[in-house]
Amino acid sequence: MIILFVLATVFQTAKAQTMKYNSLDKLLQKHVNSLGEVNYKTILTDKQLLQSSLDEFTKNQPKDSWSKNETLSYWINAYNAFTIKLIIDNYPVKSIKDIKNPWDQEFIPIGKNPMSLSEIEHEILRKMNEPRIHFAIVCASVSCPKLLNEAYVPSKLDLQLTVATEEFLADKNRNEISQNNIEISKIFSWFSKDFTQNGTLIDFLNDYSEIEISPNAKKSYKDYNWDLNE
């Protein structure tokens, strides 16, 4: 009985880690450059690979036995993959905001009922108390964080999220930071609650910024460019 229990436990653990994101990783490496720009035109000619990427999520849904990093990786990747599908289904389009109710469309076949991007972001990811997800999930727009051209994976998720956050803050097109003045992305305004759970917004920024920001720095927000990230 003990041997059977151990074998069952090992099997369950292995099963929980079968999500490899091979197709998604191939899709991103093939069609997303190092700047996070997406070649939607070439994805249109590679729909089989896109569908294989999406099928990975439908066939391997999250389990209670998964670790936090496994669950975070799954939903970050799902958000990004199905955002690409949304754009492809409506391409050519100049902006995701030109699509009717882009974040509330229930078109994602995960779970008992189809999900929306909004549900993944607000009902799942934001409730996992990891504010760096905002620099990993990408809403197909120029002012969004860049789309990573590889899948997020549990084994290096912390590093991937840290690098994504640091690169986003260092990008002067998205944030301009000095010691006494910051002009930052509206992401920090829209989701301010997420960034102030363990201190002030400045505290959070200083954890990832190359420049030490004064607690009394003047703060303003950049205009958000919703043009497509291509």
Side-chain angles (χ1 to χ4, degrees), residues 87-228:
I87 298 299
I88 291 299
D89 287 348
N90 291 275
Y91 199 83
V93 63
K94 292 183 178 180
S95 168
I96 191 172
K97 295 189 81 174
D98 293 336
I99 302 170
K100 184 177 180 181
N101 299 323
W103 294 289
D104 295 321
Q105 289 187 27
E106 295 176 338
F107 71 101
I108 302 170
I110 298 174
K112 294 181 180 179
N113 300 304
M115 304 179 69
S116 67
L117 292 170
S118 181
E119 186 176 351
I120 292 176
E121 180 177 12
H122 300 292
E123 298 303 319
I124 298 175
L125 283 171
R126 291 187 66 198
K127 291 183 177 181
M128 294 187 71
N129 297 318
E130 177 47 84
R132 293 176 298 173
I133 57 107
H134 293 294
F135 313 109
I137 57 174
V138 181
C139 58
S141 303
V142 169
S143 286
C144 287
K146 76 175 189 180
L147 180 62
L148 192 64
N149 60 353
E150 65 179 22
Y152 286 87
V153 292
S155 61
K156 58 178 181 179
L157 180 63
D158 186 63
L159 176 61
Q160 288 176 311
L161 291 177
T162 294
V163 171
T165 305
E166 290 174 345
E167 288 187 350
F168 183 74
L169 284 177
D171 185 343
K172 293 185 178 180
N173 291 318
R174 295 174 170 93
N175 301 276
E176 292 188 54
I177 293 175
S178 65
Q179 181 179 0
N180 296 307
N181 188 72
I182 58 173
E183 186 180 8
I184 54 179
S185 169
K186 285 185 178 177
I187 288 173
F188 293 108
S189 175
W190 296 332
F191 305 108
S192 59
K193 181 180 178 181
D194 297 0
F195 299 111
T196 55
Q197 293 178 2
N198 299 306
T200 67
L201 175 59
I202 300 295
D203 291 334
F204 177 86
L205 295 176
N206 276 332
D207 283 339
Y208 302 97
S209 172
E210 297 174 345
I211 299 170
E212 185 73 19
I213 306 166
S214 166
N216 300 316
K218 292 182 179 179
K219 178 178 64 180
S220 60
Y221 297 100
K222 282 182 169 290
D223 290 335
Y224 211 83
N225 185 347
W226 288 101
D227 289 349
L228 204 62

